[in-house]
């Protein structure tokens, strides 16, 4: 191709990149899609246990975290979960709702990848892969993208290279480097939707609980989620912890209610009431409310003798025990990092971008979409919806120009 062959070059053939290329191509734009990976869209492939939690029927601005919480509103309104569901139906891909609005393929994540490839092909998108991008430069109002297969030029470039999560499948900081190169601010990236870890010495009493799971109410810095928690050898995981990890910052505590079905003083009253009607040991009484291993481990962590009869346990001990279970405050020492993080929080500062087009305000023709932007969704299909919505918005903008 000669130097001005392309209306747009999209760098990154993941969820957002393929959506953008397909939308622009089907509306008449000449689009080149470049990706460095040997396998296409690996993050889609491994998501949802291989069945791809491709959206959430409840997706809305409230389900996303950003320096500007209103930034995602425009893109989500223009391309909602229902729009992507309609696309999935058009390609006759079976799906089901699993939990709290989460939609999964009945068969395989490969179907979503095949669908996106078909949509790109319908838009006559040209592919270059696997090939790395060495440099993105600008000459006048034309961008030049240097690859191992030569220099490609276009009036628009879309960065859809994702964040730093799961480096083993090819995640890099390419998108952030390009943003900084062109003078755009980047909100410090950090792992999100990730298990949290604790100091080894402090966590020793809970190591035997590895594998125990239960529903909890977990909170951190304004985020509150009723989901399952999982004890691990190094700390805590499970959906409840992955959710609050996005809100957590180093040095901050998280708070967990291990018995969320009891409101106010109901748990304390329940334990005190058992004194009049039960001849059980304290650990057996507690095991009626918590998994047995957790009941035993929790009493040990609170230095309370579980073998004493609950009838012989002072009211103040039972009330203190209830409070410890419902107001468990603990401070993680860290997280499992990008290798276990499902997404990256932070990214290109939304103040630098147009809400409608995802175009850099100070660099006309340069767009950023998907995970590389400082918009992070909750666990449960929200981040894929941001990929579809932001990709669609940028694709429309490209074809309109």
């Amino acid at each position: 191709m000669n130097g001005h062959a392309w209306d747009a070059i999209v760098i990154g053939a993941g969820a957002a990149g393929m959506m953008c290329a397909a939308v622009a191509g089907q509306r008449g734009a000449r689009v080149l899609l470049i990706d460095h990976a040997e396998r296409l869209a690996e993050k889609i492939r491994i998501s949802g246990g291989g069945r791809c939690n491709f959206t959430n029927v409840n997706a809305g601005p409230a389900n996303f975290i950003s320096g500007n919480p209103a930034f995602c509103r425009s893109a989500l309104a223009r391309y909602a979960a229902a729009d992507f569901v309609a696309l999935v139906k058009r390609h006759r891909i079976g799906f089901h709702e699993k939990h709290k609005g989460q939609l999964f393929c009945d068969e395989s994540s490969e179907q979503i990848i095949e669908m996106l490839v078909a949509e790109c092909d319908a838009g006559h998108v040209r592919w270059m892969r696997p090939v790395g991008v060495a440099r993105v430069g600008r000459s006048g109002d034309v961008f030049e993208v240097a690859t191992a297969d030569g220099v490609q030029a276009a009036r628009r470039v879309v960065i859809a290279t994702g964040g730093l999560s799961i480096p083993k499948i090819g995640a890099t900081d390419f998108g952030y480097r390009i943003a900084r190169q062109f003078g755009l601010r980047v909100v410090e990236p950090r792992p999100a939707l990730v298990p949290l870890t604790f100091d080894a010495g402090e966590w020793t009493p809970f190591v035997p609980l590895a594998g125990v799971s239960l529903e909890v109410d977990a909170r951190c810095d304004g985020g509150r989620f009723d989901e399952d928690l999982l004890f691990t050898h190094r700390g805590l995981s499970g959906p409840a912890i992955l959710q609050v990890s996005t809100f957590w910052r180093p040095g901050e505590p998280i708070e967990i209610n291990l018995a969320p079905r009891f409101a106010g003083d109901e748990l304390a009253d329940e334990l005190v009431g058992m004194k009049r009607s039960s001849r059980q040991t304290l650990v057996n009484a507690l095991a009626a409310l918590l998994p047995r291993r957790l009941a035993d481990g929790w009493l040990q962590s609170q230095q309370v003798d579980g073998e004493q009869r609950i009838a012989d346990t002072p009211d103040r001990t039972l009330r203190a025990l209830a409070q410890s279970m419902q107001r468990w405050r603990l401070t993680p020492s860290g997280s499992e990092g990008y290798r276990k993080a499902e997404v990256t929080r932070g990214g290109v500062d939304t103040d630098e971008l147009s809400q409608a087009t995802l175009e850099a305000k100070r660099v006309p023709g340069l767009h950023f979409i998907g995970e590389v932007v400082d918009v992070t969704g909750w666990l449960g299909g929200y981040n894929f919806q941001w990929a579809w919505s932001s990709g669609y918005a940028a694709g429309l903008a490209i074809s309109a120009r």
Side-chain angles (χ1 to χ4, degrees), residues 196-209 231-236 248 251-254 297-298 300-303 328-334:
L196 297 175
T197 58
F198 297 83
D199 176 80
E202 295 178 2
W203 195 247
T204 299
F206 301 104
V207 171
L209 300 180
F231 284 85
T232 72
H233 287 95
R234 288 166 46 84
L236 296 172
W248 177 75
E252 293 182 350
I254 62 173
W298 191 257
Q300 291 185 41
S301 73
Q302 301 301 307
Q303 299 181 330
W328 186 23
R329 285 176 62 87
L330 63 171
T331 302
S333 60

Side-chain angles (χ1 to χ4, degrees), residues 80-366:
D83 296 304
F84 192 77
V85 169
L87 179 63
V88 169
K89 288 180 177 179
R90 192 158 69 246
H91 283 261
R92 299 182 180 181
I93 298 172
F95 64 91
H96 59 279
E97 183 175 336
K98 189 173 181 180
H99 177 65
K100 295 186 177 182
Q102 301 170 16
L103 300 186
F104 290 77
C105 296
D106 288 343
E107 297 180 15
S108 170
S109 302
E110 295 283 355
Q111 295 172 291
I112 300 297
I113 299 172
E114 291 167 1
M115 177 189 77
L116 293 168
V117 170
E119 289 291 309
C120 286
D121 290 347
H124 305 289
V125 173
R126 291 288 298 272
W127 300 76
M128 284 183 66
R129 54 174 295 270
V131 61
V133 173
R135 179 181 59 85
V136 176
R138 195 178 189 195
S139 178
D141 59 355
V142 175
F143 291 93
E144 296 176 340
V145 178
T147 77
D149 292 342
V151 177
Q152 302 290 332
R155 295 193 180 276
R156 295 189 172 271
V157 166
V158 182
I159 305 298
T161 50
L164 298 171
S165 54
I166 322 180
K168 70 179 181 181
I169 63 171
T172 74
D173 66 347
F174 178 87
Y176 310 136
R177 286 189 277 117
I178 296 299
R180 293 187 178 108
Q181 173 190 327
F182 284 95
L184 306 183
R185 293 185 300 274
V186 175
V187 177
E188 182 182 2
R190 53 192 176 89
L193 300 183
V194 63
L196 297 175
T197 58
F198 297 83
D199 176 80
E202 295 178 2
W203 195 247
T204 299
F206 301 104
V207 171
L209 300 180
V212 171
S213 177
L214 74 161
E215 185 174 347
V216 302
D217 174 351
R219 310 181 190 190
C220 181
D221 194 27
R224 179 178 180 179
F225 299 91
D226 294 313
E227 296 275 7
D228 285 349
L229 171 148
L230 174 68
F231 284 85
T232 72
H233 287 95
R234 288 166 46 84
L236 296 172
S237 188
I241 297 303
L242 299 188
Q243 295 279 34
V244 298
S245 73
T246 305
F247 295 80
W248 177 75
R249 293 180 180 277
E252 293 182 350
I254 62 173
E255 184 173 302
I256 299 170
N257 182 350
L258 296 170
R261 66 182 182 276
F262 293 96
D265 295 328
E266 288 179 355
L267 177 58
D269 294 341
E270 175 81 7
L271 293 175
V272 172
M274 286 183 180
K275 293 178 65 172
R276 297 189 294 271
S277 59
S278 176
R279 299 176 60 84
Q280 291 179 304
T281 61
L282 181 54
V283 68
N284 285 338
L286 204 59
L289 308 174
L290 299 174
R292 172 70 194 215
R293 283 169 60 199
L294 178 55
D296 187 45
W298 191 257
L299 288 167
Q300 291 185 41
S301 73
Q302 301 301 307
Q303 299 181 330
V304 176
D305 179 11
E307 296 306 316
Q308 63 182 304
R309 293 195 316 156
I310 191 170
D312 298 331
T313 306
D315 287 6
R316 65 178 181 276
T317 300
L318 295 176
R319 293 192 179 280
L321 187 61
Q323 184 176 32
S324 72
M325 291 164 55
Q326 294 189 293
R327 297 288 301 274
W328 186 23
R329 285 176 62 87
L330 63 171
T331 302
S333 60
S335 76
E336 292 288 359
Y338 289 116
R339 68 187 184 91
K340 291 288 186 73
E342 296 199 12
V343 294
T344 304
R345 180 171 176 178
V348 180
D349 194 325
T350 54
D351 287 344
E352 299 279 12
L353 306 176
S354 161
Q355 293 186 31
T357 66
L358 284 298
E359 183 178 10
K361 297 173 183 176
R362 294 187 284 150
V363 190
L366 181 61

Side-chain angles (χ1 to χ4, degrees), residues 24-110:
Q26 289 180 29
R27 286 161 178 77
R30 295 164 298 172
V31 181
L32 174 65
L33 182 54
I34 301 176
D35 195 272
H36 73 288
E38 292 285 343
R39 296 191 74 187
L40 181 65
E42 188 70 1
K43 201 164 188 179
I44 296 177
R45 182 174 288 106
I46 66 174
S47 69
R51 291 192 174 182
C52 189
N53 179 195
F54 56 79
T55 192
N56 193 297
V57 297
N58 302 313
N63 306 114
F64 295 85
I65 303 163
S66 171
N68 176 3
F71 179 82
C72 62
R73 188 179 302 276
S74 175
L76 292 172
R78 295 169 77 188
Y79 195 84
D83 296 304
F84 192 77
V85 169
L87 179 63
V88 169
K89 288 180 177 179
R90 192 158 69 246
H91 283 261
R92 299 182 180 181
I93 298 172
F95 64 91
H96 59 279
E97 183 175 336
K98 189 173 181 180
H99 177 65
K100 295 186 177 182
Q102 301 170 16
L103 300 186
F104 290 77
C105 296
D106 288 343
E107 297 180 15
S108 170
S109 302
E110 295 283 355

